[in-house]
Amino acid sequence: MLKKEVILEGLDCANCAAKIEDEVNKLNGVKAYMNFMNKTLTLETESEQEYKNTLQQVKTIVHKHEPDVVVKEKSVNKSNKKVLILEGLDCANCAAKIEAQTQSLEGVNSATVDFVSKKLTIEAVDKKEFGKILGEVTSIVNKLEPDVKIVYAEKKKVNKSIVMLEGLGCANCAAKMEKEISGLEGVEFAAVDFVSKKLTLEISPKVNRSELNEKIEGIVKKIEPDVKVIFEENNSKTKINENNEEEEEGVNKKEIIRLVVGGAIFAVGIIFNFQNWLELTLFIISYIIVGGEVVLRAIKGIARGQVFSEHFLMSIATIGAFFVGEYPEGVAVMLFYLVGELFQDIAVGHSRKSISALMDIRPDYANLKVGDEIRKVSPEEVNIGDIIIVKPGEKVPLDGKVIEGNSMVDTAALTGESVPRELEPGNDALSGFINKNGVLTIEVTKDFGDSTVSKILDLVQNASSRKAPTEKFITKFARSYTPIVVFGALALAIIPPLVIPGATFSTWIYRALVFLVISCPCALVISIPLGFFGGIGGASKRGILVKGSNYLEALNNVETVVFDKTGTLTKGVFEVVNINSQIDFTNEKLIEYAAFAESHSSHPIALSILKVYNKDVDITKIEDYEEIAGHGILAKVGGKEILAGNSKLMNKENIKYQEVETLGTIVHVAVDKKYAGNIVISDAVKEDSADAIKGLKALGVRNTVMLTGDSKAVGEKIATQLGIDKVYTELLPADKVEKIEALDAKKSHKGKIVFVGDGINDAPVLARADIGMAMGGLGSDAAIEAADIVIMTDEPSKIVTAIKVAKRTRKIVMQNIVFALGVKAIFLALGAVGVATMWEAVFADMGVAIIAILNAMRVMNTKSI
């Protein structure tokens, strides 16, 4: 059970308190305990969703008895929360049992087990209770899973950090850094993202950070001496990003100046007919200006044992050209190499800025209200319960509830939706929304570290650290490919002159140099990660958060999509789906009569009717009101007798009514003993659910399955309506895991199973599926924590979009692999037989790299998806 406390501000009537407690306890699936002295009402519900529904009903009940009482959710005191790590937990079913039994303990407000991270989060009523609670939790865990070890999260925590690698310009070198740093003691995980120039680390807490930082810096400097290593703890992320942008602009300007000056001298040497010594002098000066830095880097690399780098290949090829008398070609190759590098930097920088623009949802400040004063502070300084002001044009800095003001907000950064939504008092305001017109006063409900914007930033920024199999293969391939080609070039330079009659060393050395120029694997090493990087960014623009390129690639092999029903394919709330009035009545009048009859009820059905009526009910018109248990309501309004209820009520009053064949709840209405019509109330299917199923089948998904705890009749009706292939009904959460395992046993070797749930109570199933996809509910904590992919808009059709993005990404990645390897293979063969010169070799290297990078950048374009 989920326990939460509600504060009833201004409650001063003990008799009213007793009535409120009694009425709340009559609600379906709710237990309530009133503490009049503390003015708190403790609610016990089965789930977070049921709690939210119950809270609305509680407010109605309270305001009926005490209109001036303000109902507030009690903020969670962080000291009342503990996180435990369940080491060795590998049974999703046992995780669900541990969660259920822990929630039922006395003194526990709530307990959740995240099977993916093996975390048990406990919220106690009072922190003094933790000693007793932890002892009982240990007994529960030992009984269900004797081999599981309980560790405090604070002791187990793996430290995450980001290291910026300023000046990193070699993708191949980035792969080498990643490999060596991953092998360091105390490093649990390391990933270098060449595009963002970022090293992501997960470090054991026992390791000496200063010593490890020295080793990391040593590895980076050994491979790339000019790279500046900036550790996150010494620099703010904003400052690092600013430095990166300034550095890129500075480097580009220097390269352009070098290219213009060196190119001008090279052009003079080509155009005019100078004596040999003067011509050679001009070409050498041009070469030093253009390629001096490249040669210097190659020499430093060799001194550190890093021989097979792109700088080494270009240096050997161009200096070799001078030795065989091809001066213009030696300078031209270096010149075009640097032009290619410049275009490559611009292309990668453009892609990086696209992602940076996507990340622009991070708020810079918050307007904190302290008394009558407004202070501009960092979002990290604001606490739960504080009041903040958001003015027009500003970003909402932290998650909270609107307590004053109305405004339209732009949610595109979180959802990808262009249509603004309206916020009014009582609505949730999520960090990352942009306020459009009115001033909003918001009570903060989450710290910045736990806010929606913070979690999304962390998700998207670190997605590239989880690499797809294709990326890993290309990285390994590049490490082997370059040395093989270098030794192949050496053999090409030496063996033919020794075995072929009439062959000269100068001819074959030139061919070997052409071979070397072509061999650099930059096109693959940069464009493949850039393709996945762009795919994740493109999905994010559509409100789809992918936690890693491995999950994006896995979406290409989806065979079966399994859906939870409530909150995934349906809206999860009662709604009026049909109004059927009789001849003498209109639909509007029917709803009005029903609204008056239901105005004193707090039942979800009554609330759904009042919501559709959407007007204030004038209760002074109600002359008499009687609730007939198990039947419905009798009310006298303006001299008319209104009956609203089920078929039993109609039969009891001898009123002929219209039979309706539907799976929803039917509310029949009669006025002065005359049948007025009926209202059908149901958990409505989402508008795009049917389109989602059609779209999945069009993409080649073989099976669509629905799992639900609902009755067989309801489940089968919805499955038929939506065109779902198979439905399993009346399931408990543990049963859903079993069904996923049964489906998993039938899939093909490469096939993947996707489970789509609402992220609140589906954590075990999300974890068990190959790809867990959650309806994020605009920032549901459970969804973001448990799933591999989060759909921020709650639209099932976004599953189709996610697969389309994945297929488009793979298509572009495969194009780059085939194109790069194909062109290089052709030119390596042409170079070996003497057809291709260094001019063609430059195209085969830098030209291919630029084309591949530009092609990879197309993934960011979501308009064509």
Side-chain angles (χ1 to χ4, degrees):
M1 294 289 283
L2 180 70
K3 292 182 189 176
K4 288 205 178 183
E5 281 188 359
V6 178
I7 300 167
L8 307 180
E9 276 187 9
L11 182 67
D12 54 9
C13 168
N15 192 26
C16 300
K19 287 179 181 177
I20 290 167
E21 181 181 12
D22 185 50
E23 284 194 35
V24 173
N25 271 310
K26 287 177 182 175
L27 296 175
N28 192 25
V30 180
K31 284 184 182 177
Y33 311 95
M34 177 70 75
N35 186 328
F36 178 67
M37 296 296 291
N38 293 336
K39 298 185 182 356
T40 59
L41 178 66
T42 303
L43 300 172
E44 283 187 14
T45 56
E46 288 293 333
S47 68
E48 185 74 23
Q49 186 62 46
E50 285 186 26
Y51 164 74
K52 286 178 181 176
N53 293 339
T54 301
L55 187 61
Q56 293 302 317
Q57 298 171 57
V58 167
K59 287 178 180 177
T60 306
I61 292 168
V62 170
H63 292 151
K64 183 174 78 175
H65 293 286
E66 283 273 52
D68 296 324
V69 168
V70 178
V71 181
K72 278 188 176 182
E73 291 178 82
K74 188 173 180 181
S75 299
V76 176
N77 186 336
K78 279 200 158 184
S79 63
N80 288 10
K81 257 191 178 183
K82 289 268 185 217
V83 179
L84 306 175
I85 304 291
L86 306 179
E87 282 190 351
L89 180 67
D90 56 6
C91 166
N93 198 14
C94 301
K97 288 178 182 176
I98 290 168
E99 179 179 296
Q101 291 187 25
T102 304
Q103 278 183 348
S104 65
L105 294 175
E106 190 180 345
V108 173
N109 252 349
S110 68
T112 55
V113 174
D114 177 8
F115 180 69
V116 180
S117 61
K118 306 188 192 311
K119 285 180 185 174
L120 167 60
T121 305
I122 302 170
E123 181 194 318
V125 176
D126 191 331
K127 64 180 178 180
K128 294 173 184 174
E129 297 283 320
F130 266 120
K132 177 173 72 73
I133 291 168
L134 294 176
E136 292 170 336
V137 168
T138 304
S139 300
I140 291 168
V141 172
N142 289 341
K143 183 178 73 178
L144 294 170
E145 279 275 74
D147 297 325
V148 167
K149 186 181 175 185
I150 301 173
V151 182
Y152 281 104
E154 293 83 359
K155 294 178 183 175
K156 176 64 187 171
K157 193 185 288 179
V158 173
N159 298 318
K160 263 193 173 185
S161 68
I162 305 295
V163 181
M164 299 306 300
L165 305 174
E166 274 191 11
L168 180 65
C170 166
N172 210 13
C173 303
K176 290 177 185 176
M177 289 174 194
E178 181 181 301
K179 188 185 178 189
E180 288 198 34
I181 293 167
S182 295
L184 290 176
E185 189 178 347
V187 175
E188 312 239 335
F189 172 82
V192 176
D193 181 2
F194 173 71
V195 178
S196 59
K197 300 185 182 181
K198 185 171 67 178
L199 165 63
T200 304
L201 292 168
E202 285 183 12
I203 304 162
S204 168
K206 295 176 184 176
V207 76
N208 185 312
R209 287 300 295 271
S210 59
E211 285 181 14
L212 181 65
N213 288 354
E214 282 180 24
K215 289 177 184 176
I216 290 169
E217 193 162 3
I219 289 169
V220 173
K221 292 291 184 186
K222 181 181 75 173
I223 296 169
E224 277 274 273
D226 298 323
V227 168
K228 188 178 177 184
V229 183
I230 303 175
F231 294 95
E232 189 186 45
E233 54 265 30
N234 300 324
N235 300 272
S236 71
K237 285 181 183 175
T238 308
K239 190 176 177 184
I240 286 168
N241 289 336
E242 285 172 2
N243 289 346
N244 274 344
E245 285 177 20
E246 287 171 12
E247 175 219 338
E248 278 172 21
E249 286 176 15
V251 168
N252 286 344
K253 283 177 185 174
K254 284 179 188 174
E255 282 189 5
I256 291 166
I257 291 167
R258 276 165 51 209
L259 283 168
V260 170
V261 175
I265 296 170
F266 171 69
V268 169
I270 288 278
I271 294 167
F272 298 102
N273 237 348
F274 293 116
Q275 293 179 1
N276 283 345
W277 66 269
L278 183 56
E279 187 180 79
L280 177 61
T281 304
L282 286 172
F283 285 136
I284 288 172
I285 292 168
S286 174
Y287 182 83
I288 290 169
I289 292 169
V290 173
E293 194 175 321
V294 175
V295 175
L296 193 62
R297 285 190 176 189
I299 293 167
K300 287 178 181 177
I302 293 167
R304 298 185 312 273
Q306 301 295 321
V307 179
F308 302 114
S309 68
E310 59 186 44
H311 304 121
F312 168 75
L313 296 176
M314 286 299 153
S315 300
I316 291 294
T318 50
I319 292 169
F322 271 85
F323 276 104
V324 295
E326 301 288 346
Y327 315 133
E329 289 195 20
V331 180
V333 166
M334 190 61 82
L335 195 64
F336 285 122
Y337 169 69
L338 287 181
V339 170
E341 286 278 286
L342 181 63
F343 275 107
Q344 177 182 295
D345 289 344
I346 291 168
V348 173
H350 177 76
S351 179
R352 189 181 296 126
K353 281 175 185 174
S354 296
I355 294 291
S356 298
L358 187 70
M359 292 296 94
D360 197 34
I361 58 175
R362 182 184 173 90
D364 302 313
Y365 60 87
N367 299 315
L368 179 64
K369 189 174 183 182
V370 184
D372 295 329
E373 186 186 349
I374 305 294
R375 292 181 193 165
K376 191 175 277 191
V377 299
S378 167
E380 285 89 345
E381 294 175 37
V382 181
N383 298 312
I384 293 170
D386 285 349
I387 304 299
I388 57 172
I389 306 296
V390 183
K391 299 170 188 173
E394 293 182 335
K395 295 169 193 161
V396 176
L398 299 106
D399 292 2
K401 275 197 181 298
V402 178
I403 57 175
E404 194 179 315
N406 292 71
S407 182
M408 300 299 289
V409 290
D410 180 357
T411 68
L414 303 189
T415 66
E417 300 302 314
S418 57
V419 181
R421 65 176 59 195
E422 188 174 3
L423 288 187
E424 56 187 29
N427 290 160
D428 289 328
L430 299 182
S431 49
F433 286 178
I434 298 172
N435 190 14
K436 301 296 283 184
N437 41 31
V439 176
L440 293 172
T441 304
I442 296 169
E443 183 181 352
V444 176
T445 55
K446 287 181 185 175
D447 287 324
F448 181 71
D450 295 326
S451 66
T452 303
V453 70
S454 184
K455 288 186 176 181
I456 291 171
L457 282 166
D458 183 61
L459 258 177
V460 180
Q461 286 177 330
N462 293 312
S464 57
S465 64
R466 297 180 181 91
K467 298 190 175 181
T470 305
E471 285 181 272
K472 291 177 181 176
F473 167 75
I474 290 299
T475 304
K476 287 179 183 175
F477 172 79
R479 283 202 295 264
S480 307
Y481 163 81
T482 307
I484 289 168
V485 173
V486 169
F487 287 116
L490 190 62
L492 192 65
I494 296 170
I495 296 170
L498 297 177
V499 297
I500 299 173
T504 61
F505 275 99
S506 60
T507 301
W508 287 95
I509 287 171
Y510 180 79
R511 292 182 184 181
L513 295 175
V514 170
F515 207 77
L516 280 180
V517 172
I518 298 167
S519 71
C520 190
C522 289
L524 293 173
V525 177
I526 298 171
S527 68
I528 304 308
L530 191 59
F532 283 108
F533 195 71
I536 290 168
S540 299
K541 280 186 173 181
R542 290 294 192 95
I544 303 162
L545 300 182
V546 185
K547 288 189 179 180
S549 49
N550 52 335
Y551 303 120
L552 190 67
E553 186 162 48
L555 282 175
N556 284 285
N557 301 313
V558 175
E559 280 185 359
T560 302
V561 178
V562 184
F563 295 91
D564 175 45
K565 181 182 77 71
T566 308
T568 303
L569 294 171
T570 65
K571 295 178 180 177
V573 290
F574 279 103
E575 283 189 358
V576 172
V577 293
N578 247 324
I579 305 168
N580 306 306
S581 57
Q582 295 299 294
I583 294 169
D584 296 336
F585 299 88
T586 64
N587 285 353
E588 291 76 15
K589 208 67 182 169
L590 183 66
I591 282 289
E592 183 181 337
Y593 288 136
F596 272 96
E598 300 282 3
S599 60
H600 286 311
S601 175
S602 58
H603 194 279
I605 288 171
L607 295 175
S608 64
I609 290 171
L610 291 167
K611 184 180 176 183
V612 171
Y613 181 55
N614 199 27
K615 296 176 189 173
D616 291 331
V617 176
D618 185 357
I619 56 174
T620 59
K621 289 184 180 180
I622 302 173
E623 298 155 12
D624 194 15
Y625 182 90
E626 182 188 350
E627 197 165 324
I628 304 165
H631 291 72
I633 293 161
L634 184 152
K636 287 189 178 175
V637 181
K640 292 185 177 182
E641 180 190 82
I642 300 170
L643 290 164
N646 54 27
S647 56
K648 291 178 188 175
L649 180 63
M650 298 295 107
N651 290 329
K652 180 176 179 290
E653 298 294 329
N654 295 316
I655 296 169
K656 286 185 179 180
Y657 63 94
Q658 182 184 336
E659 293 278 2
V660 181
E661 285 191 19
T662 182
L663 293 170
T665 301
I666 316 298
V667 176
H668 296 282
V669 181
V671 180
D672 291 335
K673 303 294 183 185
K674 184 180 180 181
Y675 187 62
N678 60 68
I679 300 163
V680 182
I681 295 162
S682 181
D683 178 7
V685 172
K686 289 181 181 176
E687 290 80 2
D688 66 334
S689 290
D691 291 338
I693 305 300
K694 283 180 192 171
L696 288 171
K697 288 181 177 177
L699 288 172
V701 173
R702 292 182 192 172
N703 306 306
T704 52
V705 180
M706 187 172 79
L707 306 180
T708 177
D710 252 334
S711 67
K712 188 176 180 183
V714 172
E716 288 182 351
K717 170 88 176 185
I718 289 173
T720 304
Q721 181 184 335
L722 298 179
I724 290 171
D725 300 321
K726 188 78 178 171
V727 59
Y728 297 96
T729 57
E730 299 173 12
L731 300 174
L732 298 171
D735 299 329
K736 291 181 182 179
V737 175
E738 287 176 14
K739 293 296 179 191
I740 287 285
E741 287 174 346
L743 291 166
D744 188 65
K746 294 176 185 174
K747 72 179 184 184
S748 67
H749 176 63
K750 284 188 177 179
K752 302 292 180 189
I753 292 178
V754 174
F755 177 78
V756 190
D758 61 12
I760 294 167
N761 53 7
D762 291 318
V765 206
L766 285 165
R768 180 61 190 84
D770 295 317
I771 306 164
M773 199 178 282
M775 294 291 160
L778 277 177
S780 159
D781 291 339
I784 290 176
E785 191 74 32
D788 305 315
I789 297 169
V790 182
I791 294 172
M792 297 301 291
T793 58
D794 277 358
E795 296 172 285
S797 58
K798 287 294 174 77
I799 304 163
V800 179
T801 307
I803 295 175
K804 283 182 178 178
V805 170
K807 287 184 180 293
R808 178 177 166 82
T809 303
R810 185 173 68 170
K811 183 181 176 184
I812 288 173
V813 164
M814 292 309 295
Q815 283 172 359
N816 281 347
I817 291 172
V818 172
F819 173 68
L821 291 180
V823 171
K824 283 186 181 289
I826 291 166
F827 279 91
L828 283 171
L830 293 175
V833 296
V835 176
T837 65
M838 281 204 182
W839 300 92
E840 286 90 350
V842 170
F843 168 74
D845 178 36
M846 291 317 303
V848 168
I850 293 165
I851 292 169
I853 289 164
L854 292 173
N855 191 40
M857 287 168 63
R858 291 194 303 123
V859 184
M860 283 293 289
N861 176 23
T862 59
K863 289 179 184 176
S864 56
I865 295 171

